[in-house]
Every structure is written in structure tokens, then in C-alpha cells.
Amino acid sequence: MAVGTEGPGSASPGGSGRGLAGLRERVGLLGGDFSADHHGTGFLVHARIPTGNRA
């Protein structure tokens, strides 16, 4: 899944654990891949989270 934003957005003060580092950690714990990068005036976030074995 990829999600993008436009514009600067707003930062959540106080380290809520919901930022990019928190997302990267959670996706990694599930065995997935995560990336985030500048895209125009915003960001593009991509996460791949495995759903389990297919029979």
C-alpha cells in the first residue's frame, strides 16, 4: 500500500509513537517492508505487510 500527502502537514509534539519511526518499527515487527520519502511538497509512504501463508 502506498499513501501520499501534499503540503507540509503538521507534526505531533511529544513523541506519540505514531510517526514514521513508529510505523517503520511496527511494520518491521510484522516482517514487512516500509519506506517513506519526500515527494513534491509532501511525503510518499509505502508499506508491505504480509498477511500469512496462502493455502
Side-chain angles (χ1 to χ4, degrees), residues 7-35:
S10 62
S12 175
S16 67
R18 297 181 191 161
L20 295 176
L23 286 170
R24 180 175 285 114
E25 180 180 356
R26 287 169 180 85
V27 170
L29 288 172
L30 296 171
D33 299 315
F34 179 88
S35 65

